[in-house]
Amino acid sequence: MKDTKDTGHAEVTSQQKPTSSPQSSVPRPFGLLAELTYRCPLPCPYCSNPTQYPPTGAELTTEEWKRTLSQAGDLGVLHVLLSGGEPLLRSDLAELVAAAREAGLYTNLITSALGLTRDRAERLKAAGLDSVQISFQADEASLADSIAGTPSHARKREAAKLVRDLNFPLTFNVVLHRKNLGRLEAIIALAEEVGAERLELANTQFYGWAFKNKEALLPTRVQLEEAERIAAAAKVRLSGKMDVLYILPDYYGDRPKPCMNGWGRRYLTVNPVGDVLPCPTASEIKWLHFDNIRQHSLAWIWAESVAFNRFRGTAWMPQPCRSCDQREIDFGGCRCQAALLTGDAGNTDPACSLSPYRDVLNRIVDGAQQLLEGETPSSHTTDLQYRINPSHSLT
Amino acid sequence: MNDEPHNLPLSSGTRPRLAAKARVQTDKISGKLALLYPEGVLLLNPTGAAIVELCDGQHTFQEMVTTLAARYKSSPNSLSSDVAEYLDRLRERGLLELISEEDSYW
């Protein structure tokens, strides 16, 4: 259900700019993505969860998560995204929310909303949950349920109403791709109808399952131009009523996204088995070892571990990044994308037009421009490989 | 009372209040006031913190300016536009509700 790589994370603004040369001093983290479980009732084909789950290890226990959240607060983290998989599948979720509040964190639930009963929502409210983000797949049930791989749209609508009834701020998130971009206008209308305060129109980022499905999910340039026009108009029309955020599809950009606002600079992720990663998709970098919260403190992993220091700052950068005047703005783009597309996480992200590997990305984008004979993108979902849940050794 | 947020221009009798989704706490690392909301954090400088702390739905804009002027030994006239500008930036981010004069009598 999730695509939190660069969408759900906290922006940080301060009158004093944070230091931008972490070599001299390790920065403090602001946001924690807590992936409470890989289990999920939805098998969305664009999930950013890994396609190969960690081979060993059980989910962190309640006590282990509470300790992690407390350590995160001590380290300076101010925001936690409680995500997954589907975090509602953890029966201890309210207890974890309370622990996060105790640690001084602003708590955001990132959910498919399946399993969000009134009783559950009230318990989360009582525990101090601050904000809820519900993912939708489309504007209406037949397309939404076919993308989600399971009947879910009607239940999401009910859950969204419940969330608003309980006065939670609601973010309506939709991952956009070839199959649903044509429905954008109606999707925005649905977000208005359910009373969302914030709408995240997140073009698919190609990691995990989405990378496996990139040919089926990548939109055409024509689709995107139309979508950008619609999103820009909605942003103006809804100003002051609903905050509309349109997340650019970086395969179509000239400059890479400032992924995670820099490696080991603002954010960390703890996955369901306790591995601590600089980014939720960092396990795409197969040779990099990630230390585990069962063996080390969060503070040690953040400041000292090999994984967090490997791409911190700018000293690791190859050309053209090393001498680029954008190097402290986009941080060379995304390490995981470089790994996926070039085989080496240390390369410039091919989403940058200056990357020597840009042609790899261009070939994928060129291949997406034609609609297949008879293809009406929004009704054709037979080419999707749906996510599978982890085997029960991980649950 | 009518709790609908308003997007009115500030007038001296408007009572600014932080939006329900926002809350403040002291940041353990910097000691600054942190304004937390669903998509981010603002670490406030001392002046910003002094303004935000008065956004409680009780103080009118005029009272805020008077209080701040006394604290910073400045004239209300010179502070007024700076405070209004700061509040407007918070409002643009959806972090502030402006309760109009009429509503406050309900």
Side-chain angles (χ1 to χ4, degrees):
Chain A
M1 42 90 4
K2 78 192 191 68
D3 188 8
T4 42
K5 188 172 176 70
D6 65 350
T7 64
H9 278 287
E11 60 167 329
V12 180
T13 322
S14 167
Q15 282 84 358
Q16 287 183 341
K17 284 210 163 165
T19 55
S20 54
S21 52
Q23 293 94 333
S24 52
S25 66
V26 174
R28 53 84 71 93
F30 283 88
L32 166 68
L33 175 66
E35 295 182 330
L36 300 180
T37 178
Y38 285 128
R39 291 171 288 143
C40 189
L42 301 190
C44 300
Y46 51 72
C47 185
S48 61
N49 275 175
T51 52
Q52 288 175 298
Y53 295 107
T56 55
E59 281 186 6
L60 294 183
T61 64
T62 307
E63 289 311 312
E64 286 170 327
W65 271 119
K66 285 163 83 168
R67 198 173 68 232
T68 302
L69 293 163
S70 164
Q71 290 183 12
D74 290 343
L75 194 53
V77 170
L78 290 167
H79 253 266
V80 61
L81 305 183
L82 300 161
S83 180
E86 174 47 64
L88 288 165
L89 290 177
R90 291 279 306 213
S91 58
D92 56 0
L93 184 59
E95 196 177 345
L96 299 182
V97 167
R101 285 298 305 264
E102 178 80 9
L105 309 182
Y106 191 96
T107 51
N108 302 272
L109 178 65
I110 312 295
T111 181
S112 71
L114 266 65
L116 192 62
T117 58
R118 177 168 284 274
D119 176 59
R120 204 77 199 282
E122 282 173 353
R123 276 192 287 151
L124 291 168
K125 187 82 184 178
L129 181 66
D130 289 297
S131 171
V132 178
Q133 172 178 316
I134 299 180
S135 63
F136 283 81
Q137 280 66 35
D139 59 299
E140 51 79 34
S142 74
L143 176 61
D145 292 350
S146 112
I147 294 167
T150 197
S152 51
H153 186 73
R155 292 160 74 185
K156 284 165 181 273
R157 289 191 62 150
E158 285 167 27
K161 183 174 184 311
L162 173 62
V163 162
R164 296 302 294 136
D165 284 351
L166 295 178
N167 287 320
F168 284 110
L170 171 64
T171 295
F172 182 117
N173 168 280
V174 57
V175 174
L176 298 173
H177 45 75
R178 195 177 182 90
K179 316 287 186 192
N180 65 3
L181 266 168
R183 304 291 309 166
L184 187 54
E185 214 130 21
I187 289 170
I188 294 168
L190 176 60
E192 280 181 82
E193 188 187 324
V194 302
E197 293 197 352
R198 189 155 179 270
L199 170 60
E200 275 187 8
L201 303 170
N203 277 290
T204 307
Q205 307 279 342
F206 293 100
Y207 306 93
W209 291 90
F211 189 76
K212 226 185 220 316
N213 281 301
K214 59 186 178 302
E215 286 78 14
L217 294 173
L218 199 65
T220 66
R221 194 168 273 115
V222 173
Q223 277 185 305
L224 280 172
E225 282 166 4
E226 176 72 357
E228 273 167 37
R229 189 187 60 72
I230 292 168
K235 201 176 169 66
V236 172
R237 181 172 59 83
L238 297 166
S239 171
K241 186 175 169 224
M242 183 168 75
D243 191 20
V244 180
L245 181 71
Y246 181 78
I247 291 146
L248 295 167
D250 64 355
Y251 275 33
Y252 280 92
D254 287 333
R255 290 288 174 272
K257 60 181 175 284
C259 195
M260 310 312 292
N261 261 300
W263 184 273
R265 186 164 168 271
R266 292 283 177 76
Y267 306 111
L268 41 82
T269 294
V270 178
N271 78 10
V273 299
D275 293 339
V276 186
L277 297 85
C279 143
T281 59
S283 62
E284 303 280 12
I285 306 169
K286 303 298 178 197
W287 52 266
L288 200 53
H289 170 74
F290 301 101
D291 286 289
N292 193 284
I293 197 69
R294 287 177 166 132
Q295 276 89 46
H296 298 280
S297 71
L298 206 57
W300 182 88
I301 296 172
W302 173 259
E304 306 291 340
S305 71
V306 170
F308 273 83
N309 284 299
R310 182 63 184 80
F311 299 113
R312 192 171 252 157
T314 53
W316 61 272
M317 287 180 176
Q319 293 292 11
C321 297
R322 185 186 287 263
S323 57
C324 181
D325 64 5
Q326 301 291 299
R327 68 185 178 279
E328 304 227 9
I329 293 168
D330 61 35
F331 309 100
C334 175
R335 299 305 87 228
C336 310
Q337 190 145 277
L340 278 166
L341 293 173
T342 77
D344 182 350
N347 283 330
T348 297
D349 184 346
C352 182
S353 61
L354 303 173
S355 160
Y357 296 91
R358 177 68 176 197
D359 61 322
V360 177
L361 193 143
N362 285 344
R363 276 199 298 274
I364 298 171
V365 169
D366 289 347
Q369 298 316 308
Q370 296 302 316
L371 292 182
L372 301 174
E373 197 180 328
E375 182 185 2
T376 52
S378 65
S379 60
H380 177 83
T381 52
T382 52
D383 52 350
L384 296 171
Q385 293 183 66
Y386 290 92
R387 173 192 188 273
I388 48 171
N389 267 320
S391 65
H392 58 259
S393 67
L394 262 174
T395 68
Chain B
M1 136 160 196
N2 181 0
D3 266 343
E4 285 296 302
H6 294 267
N7 293 315
L8 304 171
L10 269 175
S11 69
S12 58
T14 306
R15 298 169 197 271
R17 176 177 68 191
L18 276 187
K21 65 183 174 184
R23 57 185 177 84
V24 290
Q25 67 184 41
T26 304
D27 173 38
K28 289 178 196 173
I29 306 295
S30 65
K32 291 179 175 180
L33 199 68
L35 175 56
L36 303 170
Y37 52 101
E39 61 274 25
V41 180
L42 284 166
L43 289 183
L44 306 176
N45 64 22
T47 327
I51 295 172
V52 165
E53 280 171 337
L54 292 169
C55 294
D56 54 7
Q58 304 297 315
H59 292 80
T60 64
F61 175 65
Q62 187 61 51
E63 288 162 353
M64 289 177 72
V65 170
T66 310
T67 306
L68 292 164
R71 183 181 303 181
Y72 292 103
K73 300 188 173 31
S74 174
S75 82
N77 279 346
S78 63
L79 264 183
S80 184
S81 64
D82 288 349
V83 176
E85 193 183 313
Y86 194 87
L87 292 177
D88 203 49
R89 291 216 305 272
L90 292 179
R91 191 187 56 76
E92 277 173 13
R93 289 170 178 268
L95 299 177
L96 204 64
E97 292 167 5
L98 302 178
I99 305 167
S100 70
E101 289 172 84
E102 303 89 79
D103 291 337
S104 62
Y105 294 115
W106 281 54

